[in-house]
Amino acid sequence: QVHLVESGGGLVQAGGSLRLSCTVSGRALSGYTMGWFRQAPGKEREFVSIITPGSDSYNADSVKGRFTISRVNAKNTVYLQMNNLKPEDTATYYCAATPRYGRIFHPALYDYWGQGTQVTVSS
């Protein structure tokens, strides 16, 4: 069983930065495509950023140039560096894993999920 735990969320002013971490246990991280998704109240869960086992990364248009996803397989950890945060980035952020390889953007294709970490950006 794969277990994911997110950390690093919090309250930050607009323009600030946060780094989210997702630590994986139960399986080696190296064989999984990892994704960050977010969900704001009253909205559907949406793709933010993904990284393949080969470390190819893809970001949603709304976060391009501001968010960076990375992975350290030796630590079984995935990171999401978020810079120049905006109030519209406020949401619960979820880490997810899938053994599928490639541009896996839809949350329904991810098999394992963390419990989420709250990010709140004040204006």
Side-chain angles (χ1 to χ4, degrees):
Q1 186 72 5
V2 179
H3 188 55
L4 285 68
V5 177
E6 303 97 335
S7 61
L11 173 65
V12 64
Q13 288 188 333
S17 298
L18 285 173
R19 188 176 79 157
L20 305 183
S21 299
C22 172
T23 301
V24 178
S25 60
R27 295 281 177 86
L29 178 66
S30 57
Y32 289 83
T33 293
M34 301 298 297
W36 285 99
F37 296 81
R38 66 187 181 187
Q39 188 167 17
K43 295 187 176 182
E44 293 187 352
R45 193 167 297 189
E46 65 176 5
F47 153 71
V48 175
S49 187
I50 66 166
I51 187 165
T52 68
S55 293
D56 295 319
S57 62
Y58 305 91
N59 294 317
D61 289 342
S62 59
V63 306
K64 281 181 180 177
R66 301 189 298 122
F67 291 12
T68 303
I69 189 171
S70 60
R71 63 193 297 158
V72 180
N73 290 339
K75 294 185 176 181
N76 253 26
T77 301
V78 177
Y79 303 97
L80 184 68
Q81 178 66 44
M82 306 187 295
N83 298 329
N84 190 22
L85 282 159
K86 303 176 180 181
E88 52 263 42
D89 294 318
T90 295
T92 301
Y93 283 70
Y94 297 90
C95 177
T98 177
R100 299 172 178 86
Y101 192 110
R103 302 182 184 187
I104 313 298
F105 300 135
H106 201 290
L109 298 177
Y110 283 76
D111 301 278
Y112 305 102
W113 290 84
Q115 295 172 312
T117 185
Q118 178 66 37
V119 172
T120 302
V121 185
S122 62
S123 56

